Amino acid sequence: MAMNFDQARQNMVENQVRPWEVLDGRVLEVLGRVRREDFVAPEHRQLAFADLCLPIGHGEVMMKPVLEGRVLQALALKPEDHVLEIGTGSGFLTACLASLAERVTSVDIHPDFTAAAGQRLQAAGINNVQFATGEAIEGWQPQGSFDAVVVTGAMYRIPDRFLSWLKPGGRLLAIRGESPVQQVMLLTSEGSNRYREESVLETDLPYLAHAAPPRRFVF
């Protein structure tokens, strides 16, 4: 029997995401509308709504739906917001961000990720995203500043340059710490290089390139 993707998507929202304290109506609507099954590899379509991370290549994964919901809710995006996404991945979270904000810039170190995501968003009729290919930890530099910055891979520490890309009052959401216990952190700019930190939840994700903990030598 063919899978009913629309029903599976709604079940994901009601039985996985909402019970994980995701109650923002705009976030739930977007997760129920954007076709997650179109952002996974063909061999994983039947698993598109499962409560697990799916491999997307280059040793990276697509977040679980529940984590995506918590990330989107924590960002509290407004329709006029400009968002920077560091780590395009499959493009699914990109599509959700673009559905909640005015404009998204998404950067990834892997050109095949940005190319595939661009095609998927075009097919979905989403046209308010600009893609870039680059290494964001040490090299790539965006133009302008942002209301929100979201980092989709883990980092041992958050680079100061990421915080410098925020507008006053802007929010940075990043996964910080050492595997297997990392913290999803929300940092809000309060001006004068001061930031309010809030821990959203614990998780464990692969590190961005050049963002892993330093090697420790055992004697």
Side-chain angles (χ1 to χ4, degrees), residues 30-185:
V30 164
L31 290 174
R33 173 167 49 84
V34 178
R35 294 171 55 87
R36 199 173 196 271
E37 66 273 19
D38 293 343
F39 290 83
V40 303
E43 63 268 24
H44 295 144
R45 276 177 71 86
Q46 301 292 323
L47 298 173
F49 309 104
D51 183 29
L52 48 83
C53 294
L54 294 176
I56 58 174
H58 299 292
E60 300 187 19
V61 298
M62 188 177 185
M63 292 180 186
K64 294 180 181 181
V66 292
L67 183 53
E68 290 164 338
R70 290 291 295 272
V71 164
L72 292 169
Q73 178 170 267
L75 283 168
L77 295 175
K78 302 179 182 67
E80 65 272 19
D81 280 350
H82 295 175
V83 181
L84 171 62
E85 179 187 40
I86 299 172
T88 306
S90 72
F92 175 74
L93 193 67
T94 320
C96 293
L97 294 167
S99 299
L100 293 166
E102 181 177 326
R103 186 169 73 236
V104 176
T105 299
S106 185
V107 59
D108 201 288
I109 195 171
H110 303 296
D112 54 327
F113 279 2
T114 50
Q119 293 172 358
R120 290 165 177 159
L121 266 68
Q122 185 177 28
I126 297 172
N127 55 19
N128 59 334
V129 178
Q130 179 181 6
F131 290 98
T133 301
E135 190 286 303
I137 296 292
E138 299 172 352
W140 181 81
Q141 180 73 27
Q143 295 181 343
S145 54
F146 301 87
D147 300 290
V149 175
V150 56
V151 188
T152 65
M155 299 181 292
Y156 179 64
R157 68 172 189 84
I158 299 171
D160 291 339
R161 64 199 308 264
F162 285 13
L163 293 167
S164 73
W165 299 339
L166 289 175
K167 294 179 180 179
R171 292 91 62 207
L172 168 71
L173 189 140
I175 298 124
R176 182 179 69 187
E178 199 157 355
S179 179
V181 182
Q182 301 160 347
Q183 298 287 331
V184 179
M185 301 297 300

